[in-house]
Amino acid sequence: MANFTKKAIRDSFIKLLNERPLSQITVKDIVSDCGVNRNTFYYYFEDIPKLMEDIFSEDLEEIIKKYPKIENAEACIDEMIDSALEQKRVILHMYNSTNREMYEHYLWNVCDHAISTYLDTLLDGRKISENDMHAIKTYLESFSFGMISNWLRSGMNEDIRSTLKRIREIKKEIMEDMISNCEIK
Amino acid sequence: MANFTKKAIRDSFIKLLNERPLSQITVKDIVSDCGVNRNTFYYYFEDIPKLMEDIFSEDLEEIIKKYPKIENAEACIDEMIDSALEQKRVILHMYNSTNREMYEHYLWNVCDHAISTYLDTLLDGRKISENDMHAIKTYLESFSFGMISNWLRSGMNEDIRSTLKRIREIKKEIMEDMISNCEIK
DNA sequence: GCCGGATGTCTGATTTTCAGACAGGATATA
DNA sequence: TATATCCTGTCTGAAAATCAGACATCCGGC
């Protein structure tokens, strides 16, 4: 089934985040905006932070699935940046009204989810050891987490694309190398 | 509850009607477009003609509720025309692939529903006899049915607004008179 | 005349949504 | 400090919505 109700809750939340910071949004606000019972919110989401994760994780997941090849990693990231810029107000409302711990926890989960999806998509059935998987994920997550933190701190005004471009020049894409070095034949 | 599923079915139907005539749209097409079970369609709608009625009746109802005063009847009708013009392709796809009986039955029901809502809104608690109500409804329905039929037959290209304007000049709005003549004090 | 696909109807299982109540926490107010 | 208020998260059990699957029927193409 298509979960129209869940989607409606997400949409209302985004709508409200366009209007005011996260700290001024209650569960009741969300459910009364879309006209569902408060319990229905808790049926789908543990709490508001989980709702945030859900929204951004799913968005990223969709984008990742569109670029299953390592050659297209650049295009994939570009689309993620576009997507983030489109939601700029929403993201900054969240960023500015979430405390450090919550923010880090949240961003880390989003990165973790996106990168797991990304690696699954890239590996596409190939197997590597748990250990290696962990190492690669840690590398990617740390880098992503840092990049995104920097960007958010600048109010998403930094030209993240050119920064990334320069990073790519300095340090060529090594993902495929890493994977093939780890691959169990 | 807000019936997101029902809305999704309606939306899919409209989407498909934008693409092709009614005769080429099956229940299965609709439900697979929005990803719900075929039974769910029948849970909400008797069949496709009822779905059509439902869509247009509800649209008209919403518009009517926005204009509860007899003084605003003109603005109300204008908005109905706007709404119809926005859905022009959809309406013509239906009109052109529905047989005469079905079409008349359908249009009649839509008129009936809209005018009942309209009268309820105008009366706003005042009472008139069943007989008088019937007479007024018949008058309005006949006029509406005829106007709309004409318009549809022209491919909705006729300038229905100026026609209506001229009719209003010839035959001043008599609704309020009719109601007060019938009113039970 | 037969077949494939669409329709409308039914059954019963499962999932989703609901109303209502409760304890705990935070906040404001007096 | 005490009290009131609002939000939270959790729990019940009832009700509604959605589902899969089957069936008889009808219709258009072959």
Side-chain angles (χ1 to χ4, degrees):
Chain A
M1 94 156 270
N3 257 333
F4 299 110
T5 300
K6 189 176 182 185
K7 175 162 177 15
I9 292 172
R10 293 151 113 274
D11 289 347
S12 286
F13 181 55
I14 290 173
K15 176 184 156 198
L16 295 177
L17 268 176
N18 264 301
E19 296 166 4
R20 53 182 190 267
L22 179 61
S23 55
Q24 289 170 32
I25 297 173
T26 69
V27 172
K28 202 178 159 216
D29 292 337
I30 299 168
V31 296
S32 66
D33 182 82
C34 62
V36 305
N37 193 281
R38 201 165 62 87
N39 288 325
T40 305
F41 176 93
Y42 289 105
Y43 179 80
Y44 285 112
F45 307 102
E46 214 170 299
D47 48 26
I48 288 182
K50 286 284 184 190
L51 167 57
M52 302 195 320
E53 283 178 31
D54 186 90
I55 289 172
F56 289 93
S57 292
E58 197 156 316
D59 281 358
L60 292 180
E61 194 168 321
E62 259 178 45
I63 295 172
I64 289 169
K65 296 256 164 84
K66 286 164 64 180
Y67 300 94
K69 302 279 183 198
I70 186 74
E71 301 87 77
N72 302 321
E74 205 160 329
C76 181
I77 290 171
D78 276 348
E79 187 164 336
M80 286 181 184
I81 293 172
D82 286 339
S83 165
L85 285 172
E86 268 170 36
Q87 302 259 30
K88 186 169 175 171
R89 195 187 299 159
V90 167
I91 291 172
L92 289 178
H93 266 313
M94 292 188 339
Y95 177 67
N96 290 323
S97 56
T98 305
N99 69 42
R100 174 170 216 82
E101 263 143 323
M102 186 163 154
Y103 151 73
E104 289 189 351
H105 169 80
Y106 160 66
L107 178 55
W108 200 262
N109 280 354
V110 170
C111 287
D112 178 64
H113 183 273
I115 283 164
S116 295
T117 305
Y118 180 54
L119 285 176
D120 282 353
T121 307
L122 282 190
L123 281 170
D124 189 31
R126 289 185 287 168
K127 297 266 178 252
I128 65 178
S129 76
E130 292 236 355
N131 229 14
D132 290 345
M133 178 66 113
H134 177 71
I136 294 181
K137 277 182 70 170
T138 304
Y139 164 72
L140 287 176
E141 279 170 16
S142 305
F143 175 66
S144 308
F145 184 89
M147 280 295 297
I148 295 171
S149 292
N150 253 321
W151 193 33
L152 291 176
R153 216 166 34 193
S154 81
M156 295 169 78
N157 288 322
E158 186 199 325
D159 181 1
I160 196 170
R161 267 183 247 273
S162 65
T163 309
L164 274 175
K165 187 158 175 279
R166 183 66 188 131
I167 290 175
R168 282 196 202 102
E169 285 166 9
I170 297 169
K171 186 172 186 347
K172 297 280 185 204
E173 186 61 77
I174 61 166
M175 275 305 304
E176 190 55 37
D177 286 342
M178 286 177 73
I179 289 177
S180 57
N181 282 340
C182 300
E183 200 172 351
I184 297 167
K185 311 282 182 179
Chain B
M1 93 156 267
N3 257 333
F4 298 110
T5 299
K6 189 176 182 185
K7 176 161 177 14
I9 292 172
R10 292 151 112 275
D11 289 347
S12 285
F13 181 56
I14 290 173
K15 177 186 155 196
L16 295 177
L17 267 175
N18 264 302
E19 296 167 3
R20 53 181 190 266
L22 180 60
S23 54
Q24 289 170 33
I25 297 173
T26 70
V27 172
K28 202 178 160 219
D29 292 338
I30 299 169
V31 297
S32 66
D33 182 80
C34 62
V36 306
N37 194 282
R38 201 165 62 89
N39 288 324
T40 305
F41 176 92
Y42 289 105
Y43 180 79
Y44 284 113
F45 308 102
E46 214 170 298
D47 48 26
I48 287 181
K50 286 285 182 189
L51 167 57
M52 301 194 322
E53 281 179 33
D54 185 271
I55 289 173
F56 289 93
S57 293
E58 197 156 316
D59 280 358
L60 291 179
E61 193 168 321
E62 259 179 46
I63 294 173
I64 289 169
K65 295 255 163 86
K66 286 164 64 180
Y67 300 95
K69 302 280 182 198
I70 185 75
E71 302 88 77
N72 302 320
E74 205 160 328
C76 182
I77 290 170
D78 276 348
E79 187 163 336
M80 286 180 184
I81 294 171
D82 286 338
S83 165
L85 285 172
E86 267 169 37
Q87 303 259 32
K88 187 168 174 173
R89 195 186 301 156
V90 167
I91 292 172
L92 290 178
H93 266 310
M94 291 187 342
Y95 178 67
N96 289 323
S97 56
T98 305
N99 71 40
R100 173 170 216 84
E101 263 142 323
M102 186 162 153
Y103 152 72
E104 289 190 352
H105 169 80
Y106 160 66
L107 178 54
W108 200 262
N109 279 353
V110 170
C111 287
D112 178 66
H113 184 272
I115 282 163
S116 295
T117 305
Y118 180 53
L119 284 176
D120 282 351
T121 306
L122 283 189
L123 280 170
D124 189 29
R126 289 185 287 170
K127 296 264 178 257
I128 66 179
S129 77
E130 291 236 357
N131 229 11
D132 290 345
M133 179 66 114
H134 177 72
I136 295 181
K137 277 182 69 171
T138 304
Y139 163 71
L140 287 176
E141 280 171 14
S142 305
F143 175 66
S144 307
F145 184 89
M147 280 295 296
I148 294 171
S149 292
N150 252 320
W151 194 32
L152 291 177
R153 216 168 31 194
S154 81
M156 295 170 78
N157 288 322
E158 186 198 325
D159 181 1
I160 195 170
R161 267 183 248 275
S162 65
T163 309
L164 273 175
K165 186 157 174 280
R166 183 67 188 129
I167 290 176
R168 281 196 204 101
E169 286 166 7
I170 298 168
K171 185 170 184 352
K172 295 282 183 203
E173 187 59 77
I174 60 165
M175 276 303 305
E176 189 56 37
D177 288 340
M178 287 178 73
I179 289 178
S180 58
N181 283 339
C182 299
E183 199 171 354
I184 297 167
K185 312 279 182 178

